[in-house]
């Protein structure tokens, strides 16, 4: 099995002042996703949601600034680390990852010998 990171990019505006039903639906969808990873023969090795971009601190060289590097509509909002047989298997799993206000990116984790 190889490790892949599923990066969740969404428009944060969808979560700014959510109705409690929106949060409930999101939590249920992510819970179901965790179950589906196992059903498909993968392993969920970790994952987290990230605080909104205004909480970010960026560093470039010796310069430290508040906020993210760039202004963009969709931002990295969370991730899952999975074990999958290969890229095709990782993509099959990633297609099930909830991202109602955006999409996901799949990247293999680099292995150092």
């Amino acid at each position: 099995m190889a490790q892949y990171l599923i990066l969740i990019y969404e428009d944060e505006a969808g979560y700014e002042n959510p109705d409690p039903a929106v949060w409930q639906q999101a939590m249920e969808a992510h819970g179901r996703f965790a179950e589906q990873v196992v059903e498909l023969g993968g392993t969920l090795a970790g994952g987290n949601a990230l605080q909104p971009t205004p909480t970010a601190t960026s560093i470039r060289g010796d310069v430290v600034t508040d906020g993210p590097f760039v202004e963009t509509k969709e931002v990295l909002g969370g991730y899952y680390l999975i074990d999958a047989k290969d890229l095709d298997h990782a993509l099959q799993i990633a297609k099930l990852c909830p991202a109602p206000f955006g999409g996901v990116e799949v990247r293999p984790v680099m292995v150092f010998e």
Side-chain angles (χ1 to χ4, degrees):
M1 298 282 264
Q3 287 195 317
Y4 294 86
L5 201 58
I6 299 173
L7 302 166
I8 304 168
Y9 288 95
E10 293 188 283
D11 182 347
E12 288 182 307
Y15 297 104
E16 282 179 2
N17 295 306
D19 180 287
V22 170
W23 276 113
Q24 172 98 15
Q25 185 178 16
M27 293 302 101
E28 288 173 0
H30 283 279
R32 177 68 184 131
F33 173 71
E35 294 169 356
Q36 291 172 313
V37 171
V38 175
E39 290 169 6
L40 289 174
T43 303
L44 186 58
N48 284 298
L50 301 175
Q51 293 288 335
T53 54
T55 67
T57 302
S58 298
I59 303 169
R60 292 210 176 190
D62 290 337
V63 179
V64 178
T65 58
D66 290 338
F69 280 137
V70 295
E71 294 295 323
T72 180
K73 185 174 182 180
E74 291 182 352
V75 298
L76 179 62
Y79 65 91
Y80 286 105
L81 178 62
I82 63 167
D83 292 313
K85 294 176 230 168
D86 54 29
L87 178 59
D88 289 335
H89 188 217
L91 294 175
Q92 179 185 15
I93 291 169
K95 286 179 182 178
L96 301 172
C97 184
F101 302 109
V104 302
E105 174 184 337
V106 177
R107 295 184 60 183
V109 172
M110 190 176 291
V111 176
F112 294 94
E113 299 297 326

